[in-house]
Amino acid sequence: MKTFEVELALSNFFYKKGSEAVISKTNFLGYEADILATTKSWYIKEVEIKVSKSDFMADFKKYHKHDSKLTKYLYYAVPTNLVELAKEMLGPDVGILEVFQPPWLKKGLRVKVIRDAQVRVNKPLNEKQVINLYRLGCYKEWGFKQKQ
């Protein structure tokens, strides 16, 4: 399972759930977030992607602890083999998303909510913050296209 494949699965998952935007790899929060999904009322869902146990464990050594004052919900997206570890290691307020490939699906991944995230900050972004976040997402998109 590759991080890029997980990003695509999460993007599809959040858009189907009604997210306004899904942006990957942005420093909008003051640290790099793997995925930020915004709701239509301008709240942020942050998702940290972990594809291996060593990657998962290394996250606990980071300085920021995913403690942004802008994040309403924090989730970890992990493959099936890390779900139990995530349940043990993450606080009860952190949501867990299982990323897996169903046997009937030849290509692509699916996402299932194992545990819902609890509200961390109950304040939506303001208009200036939303414009800045979307601007960063657009810059990333065009930077990606230039590399192709």
Side-chain angles (χ1 to χ4, degrees):
M1 184 175 298
K2 296 178 181 163
T3 302
F4 181 75
E5 295 171 321
V6 176
E7 289 173 342
L8 288 174
L10 289 167
S11 174
N12 290 332
F13 174 79
F14 282 112
Y15 279 127
K16 287 178 184 174
K17 296 279 186 189
S19 286
E20 184 77 11
V22 180
I23 299 166
S24 68
K25 301 284 190 232
T26 177
N27 286 313
F28 177 75
L29 300 176
Y31 53 85
E32 186 177 79
D34 291 335
I35 294 280
L36 294 181
T38 60
T39 67
K40 291 184 177 166
S41 17
W42 295 355
Y43 288 99
I44 289 181
K45 298 175 185 179
E46 177 186 353
V47 183
E48 186 64 16
I49 298 170
K50 297 298 162 194
V51 296
S52 69
K53 184 177 179 181
S54 60
D55 185 27
F56 183 87
M57 298 308 288
D59 206 54
F60 295 98
K61 297 176 184 172
K62 290 181 179 176
Y63 71 93
H64 57 75
K65 310 296 182 210
H66 302 284
D67 54 1
S68 171
K69 301 293 183 221
L70 299 174
T71 302
K72 184 170 184 177
Y73 300 107
L74 172 63
Y75 289 91
Y76 272 68
V78 299
T80 304
N81 66 313
L82 294 180
V83 167
E84 290 306 314
L85 179 64
K87 286 179 182 178
E88 292 171 20
M89 298 290 294
L90 300 173
D93 62 322
V94 179
I96 300 171
L97 302 173
E98 179 184 9
V99 183
F100 63 100
Q101 185 171 24
W104 50 265
L105 189 65
K106 293 184 185 215
K107 187 176 179 184
L109 301 171
R110 294 290 186 259
V111 178
K112 179 170 85 172
V113 177
I114 299 297
R115 182 170 73 200
D116 283 319
Q118 303 302 310
V119 173
R120 300 178 131 226
V121 176
N122 200 10
K123 182 180 177 194
L125 299 177
N126 62 43
E127 185 175 1
K128 186 176 178 180
Q129 290 169 318
V130 170
I131 290 169
N132 187 39
L133 176 59
Y134 292 177
R135 180 182 58 81
L136 290 171
C138 290
Y139 283 161
K140 181 178 179 356
E141 172 67 18
W142 289 109
F144 177 75
K145 287 184 184 293
Q146 287 177 351
K147 290 179 186 176
Q148 292 182 341

